[in-house]
Amino acid sequence: MKIAILDDYQNVALSYADWDSLGAHIEVFTEAFTGPDDVVRKLAGFDVAVAMRERTRFPAEVLDRLPDLRLLVSTGRRNAAIDVAAAKRNGVVVSATGYLGPPTLEHTWALILAAARNLPADVRSMREGGWQVGVGTVLSGKTLGLLGLGRLGSASAKIGQAFGMETIAWSPNLTPEKAAEHGVTAVGKEELFERSDVLSVHVVLSDRSRGLVGAPELARMKPSALLVNTSRGPIVDEAALLAALRDKKIAAAALDVYDVEPLPADHPIRGLDNVILTPHVGYVSRETYEIFYRDAVEDIAAFQAGEPIRVMG
């Protein structure tokens, strides 16, 4: 059996599980693939591919051209980058792994606090021999707006409340009663953007949520507001956000996700001074990787034994 471990950017996958127990040939890919043709070319001949979240896409056009692939392991329980129906049509089993929510939640607040207290500029100044270069802002008494009040959104609300923030939320199906269960006030979509001092995105990417935060929504935000996105890049209209940041229509953005990942080196958002950028590391933690790769080995072993587990779709 030939196993490909994909998108292991830090080259750590082999240290987080007992891969030797599988008795297989294993190859680790530490660089992102450049596109569908590159995926097909490099995965030719592999029986198993272990996909790290949604870093590599497996649409029908790719799966149809990988006749040797028999098992595709997706880290996490949901993966919008895999066409599960096309996999099934091609006789490819898709198995999932466990997941941890707290790392993304904690990273969301690392971004909020870093932006509120001007940490990147102050850290840079200290390293360059300087001292104070900006003035931070206090979160207590401010309004935290949550676009989505699911598992991560509601957990984020509790943290905001611990900081003394008023918490409001909107999503298409959110009811006042459901919001009240988390001590949150349900508001209309327009009001969410108008009132939020910090607006954090916590909806899942879908056809309905793609571009949900566009120019009209950004125009309603306060000039002092911070937009935070640790969910998925395409939920926020990238061109509209760039324009809002350049024109100082909002004070800042803190982003961990992008339309194209890895973010191109020449992307214009890299040059803005009112944005904090991290390389989609919200879920990247030792504890998460231990679960991902341990479960991946279990999935492969079960498949070898003819009894696949955690099958998606």
Side-chain angles (χ1 to χ4, degrees):
M1 177 176 281
K2 292 184 64 177
I3 301 172
I5 301 175
L6 312 184
D7 298 308
D8 181 14
Y9 297 158
Q10 299 95 346
N11 198 20
V12 295
L14 295 181
S15 66
Y16 281 108
D18 184 9
W19 296 93
D20 291 341
S21 66
L22 299 172
H25 170 79
I26 299 174
E27 186 170 344
V28 177
F29 293 86
T30 59
E31 300 290 335
F33 297 120
T34 59
D37 291 342
D38 195 32
V39 176
V40 171
R41 181 171 58 254
K42 290 179 178 174
L43 295 187
F46 281 94
D47 305 286
V48 179
V50 179
M52 174 54 70
R53 302 302 295 124
E54 297 168 354
R55 293 175 182 175
T56 294
R57 298 189 59 78
F58 285 92
E61 66 169 300
V62 168
L63 292 164
D64 291 345
R65 297 161 62 193
L66 292 172
D68 297 310
L69 188 65
R70 296 186 289 144
L71 174 66
L72 179 56
V73 177
S74 167
T75 53
R77 301 183 186 91
R78 180 191 296 119
N79 194 324
I82 297 175
D83 187 331
V84 177
K88 186 177 294 187
R89 187 179 69 246
N90 281 280
V92 178
V93 174
V94 182
S95 287
T97 73
Y99 188 76
L100 276 182
T104 300
L105 173 66
E106 292 171 8
H107 190 69
T108 298
W109 279 90
L111 290 176
I112 292 172
L113 291 167
R117 300 312 300 264
N118 198 41
L119 292 188
D122 281 333
V123 169
R124 184 169 56 250
S125 175
M126 291 293 285
R127 290 189 178 278
E128 295 172 351
W131 196 236
Q132 297 176 3
V133 293
V135 179
T137 188
V138 172
L139 295 176
S140 179
K142 300 296 197 306
T143 298
L144 171 65
L146 300 157
L147 184 61
L149 198 64
R151 179 172 49 86
L152 289 179
S154 59
S156 192
K158 289 182 174 60
I159 297 176
Q161 291 157 5
F163 276 106
M165 302 183 77
E166 179 184 5
T167 50
I168 62 175
W170 174 86
S171 67
N173 300 314
L174 181 64
T175 64
E177 294 76 19
K178 184 65 177 178
E181 292 176 8
H182 303 287
V184 176
T185 301
V187 298
K189 183 182 178 183
E190 293 181 354
E191 185 178 352
L192 178 78
F193 286 90
E194 291 169 351
R195 289 180 55 190
S196 296
D197 294 296
V198 177
L199 191 142
S200 190
V201 178
H202 294 289
V203 292
V204 174
L205 178 62
S206 65
D207 290 340
R208 186 169 61 172
S209 66
R210 188 177 297 272
L212 185 61
V213 182
E217 289 74 25
L218 293 167
R220 290 185 176 277
M221 295 182 70
K222 302 175 183 179
S224 58
L226 165 67
L227 173 71
V228 183
N229 189 5
T230 56
S231 182
R232 289 295 182 271
I235 295 168
V236 180
D237 184 304
E238 188 175 89
L241 178 59
L242 272 168
L245 289 167
R246 282 172 171 160
D247 297 341
K248 311 295 184 184
K249 299 297 184 182
I250 62 174
L255 310 173
D256 188 48
V257 289
Y258 311 92
D259 285 8
V260 176
E261 297 181 1
L263 186 68
D266 60 351
H267 197 287
I269 204 166
R270 290 183 184 265
L272 300 182
D273 61 5
N274 56 344
V275 61
I276 295 176
L277 308 174
T278 54
H280 202 160
V281 291
Y283 64 92
V284 178
S285 68
R286 175 174 55 81
E287 292 81 1
T288 305
Y289 276 13
E290 286 173 347
I291 291 173
F292 281 173
Y293 291 124
R294 179 201 66 206
D295 287 2
V297 169
E298 290 179 359
D299 288 346
I300 298 169
F303 180 81
Q304 286 177 322
E307 298 180 355
I309 58 175
R310 291 188 282 261
V311 176
M312 296 171 61

